[in-house]
Amino acid sequence: QVQVVESGGGLVQPGGSLRLSCAASGTILSINFMGWYRQAPGKQQDVVATINSDGSTNYANSVKGRFTISRDYAKNTVYLQMNSLAPEDTAVYYCTVGELRPYWGQGTQVTVSS
């Protein structure tokens, strides 16, 4: 069993930055990918960014150039650096860890508001 815990959410003004962290722990055999999804109120959950075991990354068009995903392989941790935040980035951000099956965290709230 794999546990996934996110941290780093909060309230930030438009144009500000936040860094989310996600740590996977437990019985981990092999992590294929790690990533971030988000769900805004009244909307479906959408992918934000993912990083594969070979280090390749994918980003949603809406965050390209503003968000950066990175991974610490030794710590089984993935980060999401979010810059130039806008109100439309407000959502609950979920971390996912792709091991034998996907595991999900509980989510962390990000609110961008003045």
Side-chain angles (χ1 to χ4, degrees):
Q1 191 77 340
V2 176
Q3 293 78 46
V4 179
V5 178
E6 305 106 331
S7 61
L11 173 64
V12 64
Q13 292 186 343
S17 299
L18 279 177
R19 188 192 194 209
L20 305 183
S21 299
C22 168
S25 62
T27 305
I28 299 173
L29 299 179
S30 178
I31 294 178
N32 298 314
F33 69 90
M34 302 181 81
W36 293 93
Y37 285 66
R38 67 185 180 186
Q39 186 167 21
K43 296 187 177 181
Q44 66 179 20
Q45 189 183 66
D46 291 323
V47 61
V48 176
T50 60
I51 184 166
N52 297 314
S53 57
D54 62 359
S56 59
T57 58
N58 293 283
Y59 294 92
N61 288 333
S62 60
V63 308
K64 283 181 180 177
R66 301 189 298 125
F67 291 10
T68 302
I69 190 170
S70 60
R71 180 175 166 180
D72 185 327
Y73 291 83
K75 296 181 178 180
N76 290 323
T77 298
V78 64
Y79 306 96
L80 185 68
Q81 178 65 44
M82 305 185 293
N83 299 328
S84 301
L85 284 161
E88 51 265 35
D89 295 315
T90 295
V92 178
Y93 284 69
Y94 297 92
C95 175
T96 183
V97 175
E99 207 241 0
L100 294 181
R101 69 165 180 86
Y103 291 89
W104 292 87
Q106 294 296 312
T108 185
Q109 176 70 46
V110 172
T111 302
V112 185
S113 175
S114 55

